[in-house]
């Protein structure tokens, strides 16, 4: 074989691209993964952002693990390659008047006791809520592991796949189907109003319905976003659990890269793809920036679909309706990531002390009311950043001491909302002012917080798009709304990880199963490649 000829080329060295590369190499394909940046990992990379303090390391964008199936961890032998995680502590919400709620993944009694301080009725409802979410997770969880059928296709094979899906869920009953419908159609605010009476309880639970989403708590579909964050685990068997990886999120990508290389894949950085080669109706490889060609009968794209199909391929080589679908693919976001180096842990009014306590080890929310969650989005929708921002913060150094010197801490804040239009311009000064308001919000809860900050990094939607290819700054490569899920992700007829170009497959977070650092899109894309190889739709590896 020529040096630049492979069985498969993977475009994008983020976690999904690396998973695809590892599975392809594991299946015997001569594989190369091409990453545009100087390092792999994409949004899951660990960096040292402060030149005068290189000993402090942060995960610039993503910040916690979830939804990665244990089977991927086993198949790719990730633990042997350095993958190690620490399950997060509770969801923690405090208020300036000294009240707080801590909610645990697997401790119903403590959850009951915490909520009972606000409402015994809500405390009693919490166990039923957990059971309801668990039941829906039993329905929705297996769907993440399926390739969606082509609903509406008259082809016999597609009709058969649709029938198999219907048969799989034949015993659900009208009640469960109705509940799933409500979940997809309702807002997180409305659905929580049906279950709980106190605003504090509803607010604490509602945050997972708006995280990373261009939608407020009253927007239809946000109930599903909450469920999406509740149906996975990190291999410890606890539904909806999240975890800190040792070494930051970059350590996850590094483990997957080492796995891919151990199976025989080549990984190249500073290798930006400029164009996908199309010969007739098939792909023939890619062209890199500078003109170098890399040939392969199989190309897997793990980058944003708007980049692949609107920039890397001549639109004349694609069906017009598919191009329209990708142009209309909604990928808005109002997310701002803030990374902090701290001299000490926050000393919350509600739970005093700067030694590591349970509430420091989990997800520290800044959401004082349902009204704040909705108004914050409405502010951004009207064209100006939230006056009272929402934030989810974690302090990974309560477990992982590899990220900074002893006695100090790293805090990672995932915040919302700024106008989605900010993805087109840097808005540097406005972002800093927004970050000030986030910090002021936490300082209301822990008065010494602002004074403990040694360094800070603020990353807005423009930088997310320009540096990481997250169009619109959307972490999911596309909004998790009802019309952009399952067989619609990213376009009807092409949710099976294939594309209109034979040999070109999709493995980005814009595919079904995308969202979160899970690797499912990479796994599923290779699963479909192997099926096509068996059907002789693509050449045998090494052939």
């Amino acid at each position: 074989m020529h040096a630049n000829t492979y069985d498969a080329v993977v475009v994008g060295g983020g976690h999904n691209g690396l998973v695809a590369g590892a599975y392809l190499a594991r299946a015997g394909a001569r594989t190369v993964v091409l990453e545009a940046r100087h390092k792999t990992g994409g949004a899951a990379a660990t960096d040292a952002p402060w030149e005068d303090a290189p000993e402090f390391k942060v995960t610039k964008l993503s910040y916690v693990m979830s939804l990665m199936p244990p089977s991927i961890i086993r198949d790719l032998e990730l633990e042997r390659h350095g993958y190690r995680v620490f399950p997060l502590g509770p969801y923690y919400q405090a208020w300036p008047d000294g009240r707080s709620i801590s909610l645990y993944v697997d401790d119903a009694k403590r959850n009951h006791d915490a909520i009972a301080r606000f409402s015994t009725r809500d405390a009693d409802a919490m166990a039923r809520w957990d059971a309801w979410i668990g039941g829906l997770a039993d329905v929705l969880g297996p769907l993440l592991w399926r390739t969606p059928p082509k609903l509406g296709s008259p082809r016999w094979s597609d009709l058969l796949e649709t029938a198999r899906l219907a048969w799989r869920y034949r015993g659900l009953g009208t009640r469960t189907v109705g509940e799933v419908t409500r979940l997809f159609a309702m807002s997180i605010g409305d659905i929580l109003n049906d279950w709980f009476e106190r605003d504090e309880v509803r607010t604490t639970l509602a945050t997972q319905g708006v995280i990373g989403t261009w939608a407020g708590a009253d927007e239809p579909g946000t109930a599903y976003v909450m469920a999406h964050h509740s149906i996975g685990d990190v291999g410890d068997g606890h539904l909806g659990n999240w975890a800190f990886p040792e070494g930051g999120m970059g350590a996850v990508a590094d483990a997957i890269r080492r796995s891919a290389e151990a199976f025989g894949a080549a990984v190249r950085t500073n290798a930006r793809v400029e164009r996908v080669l199309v010969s007739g109706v098939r792909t023939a490889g890619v062209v890199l920036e500078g003109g170098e060609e890399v040939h392969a009968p199989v190309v897997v794209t793990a980058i944003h679909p708007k980049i692949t199909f609107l920039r890397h391929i001549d639109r004349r080589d694609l069906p017009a309706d598919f191009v329209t679908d990708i142009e209309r693919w909604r990928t808005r976001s109002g997310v701002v990531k803030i990374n902090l180096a701290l001299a000490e842990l926050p000393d919350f009014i509600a739970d005093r002390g700067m030694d590591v306590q349970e509430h420091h080890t989990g997800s520290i929310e800044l959401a004082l009311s349902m009204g704040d969650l909705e108004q914050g989005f409405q502010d951004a929708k009207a064209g100006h950043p939230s006056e009272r921002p929402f934030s989810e913060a974690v302090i990974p150094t309560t477990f992982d001491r590899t990220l900074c010197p002893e006695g100090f801490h790293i805090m990672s804040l995932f915040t919302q909302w700024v106008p989605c239009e900010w993805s087109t311009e840097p808005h540097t000064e406005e972002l800093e002012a927004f970050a000030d308001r986030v910090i002021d919000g936490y300082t209301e809860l822990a008065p010494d917080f602002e004074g403990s900050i040694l360094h800070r990094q603020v990353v807005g939607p423009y930088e997310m798009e320009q540096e990481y290819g997250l169009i619109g700054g959307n972490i999911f490569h596309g909004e998790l709304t009802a019309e952009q899920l399952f067989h619609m992700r990213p376009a009807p007829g092409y949710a099976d990880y294939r594309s209109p170009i034979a040999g070109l497959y999709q493995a980005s977070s814009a595919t079904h199963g995308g969202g979160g650092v899970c690797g499912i899109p990479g796994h599923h894309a290779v699963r479909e490649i192997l099926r096509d190889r068996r059907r002789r739709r693509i050449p045998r590896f090494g052939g």
Side-chain angles (χ1 to χ4, degrees):
M1 291 180 123
H2 295 296
N4 265 21
T5 300
Y6 295 85
D7 293 319
V9 170
V10 179
V11 181
H15 72 279
N16 280 318
L18 291 169
V19 166
Y23 270 106
L24 283 164
R26 181 174 179 259
R30 187 166 181 260
T31 303
V32 62
V33 179
L34 303 173
E35 167 56 38
R37 299 180 69 238
H38 67 286
K39 62 192 296 186
T40 53
T46 303
D47 298 294
W50 302 295
E51 290 185 8
D52 56 340
E55 67 276 19
F56 288 91
K57 302 177 183 66
V58 305
T59 301
K60 191 172 181 179
L61 296 183
S62 63
Y63 57 108
V64 285
M65 281 296 299
S66 185
L67 301 176
M68 180 174 279
S71 58
I72 291 180
I73 296 170
R74 290 193 302 270
D75 287 349
L76 302 186
E77 302 175 351
L78 296 187
E79 291 180 350
R80 184 169 73 85
H81 292 292
Y83 177 82
R84 183 187 181 201
V85 296
F86 306 96
L88 265 71
Y91 286 100
Y92 176 72
Q93 174 63 59
W95 284 269
D97 62 6
R99 296 174 302 153
S100 68
I101 293 179
S102 291
L103 296 179
Y104 299 82
V105 170
D106 57 355
D107 197 326
K109 183 181 185 307
R110 295 181 74 182
N111 290 343
H112 185 280
D113 293 345
I115 294 174
R117 297 202 301 265
F118 294 82
S119 164
T120 54
R121 177 183 177 275
D122 285 356
D124 293 339
M126 189 65 192
R128 296 192 298 274
W129 168 263
D130 284 341
W132 183 72
I133 292 295
L136 292 177
D138 288 341
V139 175
L140 297 174
L143 284 179
L144 288 179
W145 204 242
R146 290 188 66 95
T147 297
K150 294 184 178 181
L151 299 183
S153 170
R155 292 179 57 185
W156 172 248
S157 59
D158 296 329
L159 289 171
L160 183 60
E161 284 301 311
T162 302
R164 284 173 176 163
L165 179 63
W167 182 257
R168 165 68 173 76
Y169 289 102
R170 67 192 182 281
L172 284 184
T174 56
R175 170 57 58 183
T176 302
V177 171
E179 294 300 298
V180 171
T181 302
R182 284 161 52 84
L183 189 74
F184 278 95
M186 291 180 70
S187 72
I188 187 62
D190 283 342
I191 213 159
L192 288 171
N193 282 339
D194 290 345
W195 284 83
F196 302 101
E197 63 181 5
R198 288 298 295 263
D199 187 76
E200 298 91 340
V201 177
R202 294 196 299 265
T203 302
T204 304
L205 293 169
T207 57
Q208 294 309 297
V210 297
I211 189 80
T213 306
W214 181 248
D218 293 340
E219 294 290 315
T222 47
Y224 169 76
V225 177
M226 176 274 300
H228 182 84
H229 288 98
S230 303
I231 59 180
D233 65 58
V234 291
D236 66 350
H238 295 148
L239 183 69
N241 212 359
W242 297 72
F244 299 120
E246 186 175 66
M249 294 300 290
V252 177
D254 290 345
I256 304 170
R257 175 177 178 165
R258 284 191 287 268
S259 171
E261 291 174 331
F263 285 123
V267 180
R268 292 178 56 181
T269 55
N270 296 307
R272 183 178 298 276
V273 170
E274 190 173 76
R275 183 162 51 92
V276 174
L277 287 169
V278 178
S279 177
V281 296
R282 299 194 62 87
T283 185
V286 299
V287 180
L288 303 185
E289 197 172 63
E292 179 187 353
E293 294 188 3
V294 183
H295 296 277
V298 170
V299 174
V300 180
T301 173
I303 61 177
H304 199 287
K306 283 183 178 286
I307 297 175
T308 296
F309 298 112
L310 302 182
R311 301 181 192 176
H312 288 173
I313 299 174
D314 192 314
R315 298 184 187 204
R316 292 173 296 183
D317 291 324
L318 296 166
D321 57 354
F322 177 80
V323 171
T324 299
D325 288 336
I326 299 300
E327 288 175 332
R328 291 176 177 172
W329 181 248
R330 296 197 302 163
T331 183
R332 298 165 296 181
S333 173
V335 165
V336 177
K337 182 69 190 305
I338 303 170
N339 298 308
L340 304 175
L342 304 180
E344 60 191 19
L345 288 172
D347 183 8
F348 290 95
I349 295 170
D351 298 276
R352 303 310 303 235
M354 289 180 290
D355 293 330
V356 175
Q357 300 176 63
E358 276 191 303
H359 60 273
H360 291 124
T361 68
S363 173
I364 304 169
E365 310 298 318
L366 178 63
L368 301 188
S369 70
M370 292 294 289
D372 282 357
L373 283 178
E374 179 59 27
Q375 187 57 50
F377 171 65
Q378 293 299 331
D379 289 347
K381 192 175 178 182
H384 53 87
S386 303
E387 288 298 321
R388 293 187 66 86
F390 156 61
S391 171
E392 178 171 275
V394 295
I395 308 174
T397 45
T398 54
F399 292 105
D400 180 10
R401 295 308 312 169
T402 70
L403 299 176
C404 68
E406 194 63 38
F408 299 91
H409 285 279
I410 293 295
M411 191 172 187
S412 182
L413 295 80
F414 193 85
T415 75
Q416 295 165 233
W417 289 265
V418 298
C420 62
E421 295 83 5
W422 282 21
S423 64
T424 62
E425 298 289 342
H427 292 276
T428 304
E429 292 183 8
E430 297 100 318
L431 283 173
E432 293 294 336
F434 175 85
D436 288 341
R437 289 199 294 280
V438 174
I439 290 167
D440 288 345
Y442 279 110
T443 303
E444 278 190 88
L445 310 179
D448 295 333
F449 178 67
E450 183 176 4
S452 73
I453 298 172
L454 303 174
H455 307 279
R456 85 177 188 183
Q457 179 188 47
V458 182
V459 186
Y462 178 81
E463 186 176 349
M464 294 179 192
E465 177 168 330
Q466 296 300 314
E467 184 173 346
Y468 295 92
L470 299 175
I471 303 300
N474 189 283
I475 60 172
F476 304 127
H477 285 194
E479 298 167 39
L480 292 176
T481 47
E483 79 282 3
Q484 293 195 167
L485 294 174
F486 198 49
H487 67 289
M488 300 291 287
R489 195 165 182 86
Y494 297 100
D496 62 354
Y497 302 92
R498 296 171 179 84
S499 78
I501 306 295
L504 176 61
Y505 297 82
Q506 305 176 70
S508 85
S509 286
T511 62
H512 169 61
V517 180
C518 64
I520 291 174
H523 172 277
H524 286 10
V526 176
R527 184 173 66 187
E528 298 309 312
I529 290 169
L530 298 181
R531 285 174 177 169
D532 285 350
R533 184 185 63 169
R534 289 194 296 270
R535 296 165 182 162
R536 299 186 179 180
R537 294 176 181 175
I538 60 173
R540 291 184 298 107
F541 299 152

